[in-house]
Amino acid sequence: MFELLLPFFLLVLILIVLPVIWKINARKYISSGTVASAYDAWTEDKLLERLWGEHIHLGFYPLGGVKIDFRKAKVQFVHELVKWSGLDKLPKGSRILDVGCGIGGSSRILAKYYGFNVTGITISPGQVKRARELTPVGLNCNFRVMDALDLKFEDGSFDGVWSVEAGAHMNDKTKFADEMLRILRPGGYLALADWNSRDLRKNPPSFFENLVLKQLLEQWVHPNFVSINEFVNILRTNKNSIGRVVSENWNSYTNPSWYDSIFEGIRRPFAILSLGPLSIIKSIREIPTILLMNWAFRKGLMEFGVYKCRG
C-alpha cells in the first residue's frame, strides 16, 4: 500500500512543501562557480564528512541482500570500479588523474592500495584544502583547484583517468569527455561513474517525472543529465578513444546507498548534534532530495552508469 501511495506523497512534497523549503537556499546551476560555492559550503559545514566519511559518492553493495556498512560500501565501490575498469592492470607509480576528487577519499585509496601517483582536481577550493589536510605525509597524492572542462595538463600526461559522480555537474558533457581523453596517454585507462537519466528522447518523462528531474537538477547544482547511451556515443566519437567503450548500469549495486545516507543520521546522531543546531536543519533539508533520488533510481528514471575505455 505504501508503495502505491508513495508517488502521491512525493507529488505533494514537490508541489506544496518543498518549494517553500528549497526556495530559501536553492542550488540551481548557473555556472561552474555555483558548483564550487555549493561544495565549498558542504565542505565547510563538515556535515557530509561527519555523516558519510571521506567519500561523498555512493557505495557498492553485493547482490543478494548481503549487509555491508555504508562507509565500507563506499570503499568497496572504489575497489570494484578499479577492477571492472582494468585500472588495476597499471603498474605501481602510474600517474592517475582523479577528476572531481572531492575531499580526496578515492585518491587516497588509489595511492595507498594500488601504489599510484594521484593528482586530484576539483572546482572547489574548500575541498582541495580539506583533501590536503586529510592526506598523510608521504602518500603520493596532490590536489589542485581546476575546472574539469579546462584541464591544465599536456596531452597524454596520465596513465589513467578516474572520475566518480562528477559529470552530472558539467554543462558540456562532450568537452568533459574530450578533456579527459586528451590528457590520457595512448593505451591508458579511463574509469568513470556517473548519474545518468534514462534515454528521455526514446522514453519521454511523464508530468510527474519531469517534476522530479527538475528538483534533482536544481537542488544539487546539476545543469543537465544525459543517458548512458548518449555518453557512450560521446566517448566513442572522440578521436582519442581508439579502444572499445564499455558501459553498465550499476543501479542494483548502488541503490541501497540512498536510504543508508539518511540512516547514518540515525546511527550517528552526535555527528550532527556536535556541529550545532543549524546542522540539524541542514541535514533535514537534504532528505527530500535523497528520497527523490532513491525513487528515480529505483524506477529507472535515473541510472548509475559506469564506463571504461582505453586511450
Side-chain angles (χ1 to χ4, degrees), residues 123-298:
I123 198 73
S124 162
Q127 286 188 324
V128 166
K129 179 177 180 292
R130 187 60 180 146
R132 289 171 177 168
E133 292 171 350
L134 291 170
T135 302
V137 175
L139 196 62
N140 286 326
C141 288
N142 68 90
F143 301 96
R144 299 174 59 178
V145 177
M146 194 177 298
D147 189 339
L149 301 184
D150 185 22
L151 296 176
K152 305 301 184 182
F153 302 108
E154 298 294 326
D155 295 0
S157 297
F158 292 90
D159 304 299
V161 175
W162 172 276
S163 182
V164 174
E165 298 177 23
H169 294 297
M170 309 297 166
N171 67 336
D172 188 335
K173 313 301 186 193
T174 299
K175 182 66 173 174
F176 176 53
D178 288 348
E179 281 293 273
M180 289 188 293
L181 290 171
R182 177 184 65 78
I183 56 89
L184 182 64
R185 69 161 173 82
Y189 290 81
L190 172 69
L192 188 144
D194 210 356
W195 297 350
N196 302 98
S197 65
R198 70 166 185 251
D199 192 329
L200 301 178
R201 294 174 299 183
K202 292 183 179 179
N203 189 0
S206 64
F207 172 76
F208 174 72
E209 289 174 333
N210 261 324
L211 291 176
V212 172
L213 286 171
K214 182 176 185 293
Q215 295 304 326
L216 299 187
L217 290 172
E218 293 188 355
Q219 292 308 310
W220 285 350
V221 283
H222 298 130
N224 56 72
F225 298 123
V226 296
S227 70
I228 291 175
N229 285 339
E230 285 177 288
F231 196 69
V232 165
N233 288 333
I234 288 172
L235 291 172
R236 282 177 177 163
T237 55
N238 185 281
K239 65 180 181 179
N240 295 315
S241 175
I242 60 174
R244 187 167 67 98
V245 178
V246 178
S247 67
E248 289 184 6
N249 180 357
W250 279 14
N251 269 14
S252 57
Y253 297 114
T254 57
N255 279 353
S257 301
W258 297 111
Y259 281 147
D260 263 359
S261 65
I262 296 174
F263 292 154
E264 281 299 286
I266 300 172
R267 298 184 188 114
R268 310 173 194 270
F270 290 106
I272 300 175
L273 296 174
S274 64
L275 295 172
L278 187 58
S279 65
I280 300 174
I281 298 173
K282 290 180 178 179
S283 62
I284 293 174
R285 182 190 183 280
E286 304 299 343
I287 291 176
T289 306
I290 293 172
L291 290 175
L292 289 179
M293 278 287 188
N294 175 70
W295 183 87
F297 276 90
R298 284 194 300 109

Side-chain angles (χ1 to χ4, degrees), residues 31 46 56 64 75 87 89 99 135-136 150 232 292 299 310:
S31 67
K46 288 188 168 58
I56 300 174
V75 173
L87 207 67
K89 295 181 174 64
V99 180
T135 302
D150 185 22
V232 165
L292 289 179
K299 294 299 183 181
R310 303 288 298 278

Side-chain angles (χ1 to χ4, degrees), residues 98-111:
D98 183 355
V99 180
C101 64
I103 58 175
S106 296
S107 294
R108 284 185 287 276
I109 291 177
L110 294 174

Side-chain angles (χ1 to χ4, degrees), residues 45-156:
D45 67 32
K46 288 188 168 58
L47 183 61
L48 293 183
E49 184 182 337
R50 290 285 183 89
L51 284 178
W52 300 349
E54 298 179 23
H55 304 269
I56 300 174
H57 61 74
L58 302 187
F60 185 98
Y61 296 76
L63 299 181
V66 178
K67 296 294 183 181
I68 181 172
D69 178 79
F70 181 50
R71 297 191 184 196
K72 290 181 179 178
K74 290 168 172 283
V75 173
Q76 187 62 31
F77 177 89
V78 176
H79 292 303
E80 293 291 338
L81 186 59
V82 167
K83 180 172 63 176
W84 179 81
S85 66
L87 207 67
D88 57 345
K89 295 181 174 64
L90 289 172
K92 291 182 178 181
S94 295
R95 301 157 300 169
I96 307 296
L97 180 67
D98 183 355
V99 180
C101 64
I103 58 175
S106 296
S107 294
R108 284 185 287 276
I109 291 177
L110 294 174
K112 180 179 179 180
Y113 288 92
Y114 300 95
F116 297 147
N117 188 340
V118 184
T119 298
I121 66 152
T122 168
I123 198 73
S124 162
Q127 286 188 324
V128 166
K129 179 177 180 292
R130 187 60 180 146
R132 289 171 177 168
E133 292 171 350
L134 291 170
T135 302
V137 175
L139 196 62
N140 286 326
C141 288
N142 68 90
F143 301 96
R144 299 174 59 178
V145 177
M146 194 177 298
D147 189 339
L149 301 184
D150 185 22
L151 296 176
K152 305 301 184 182
F153 302 108
E154 298 294 326
D155 295 0

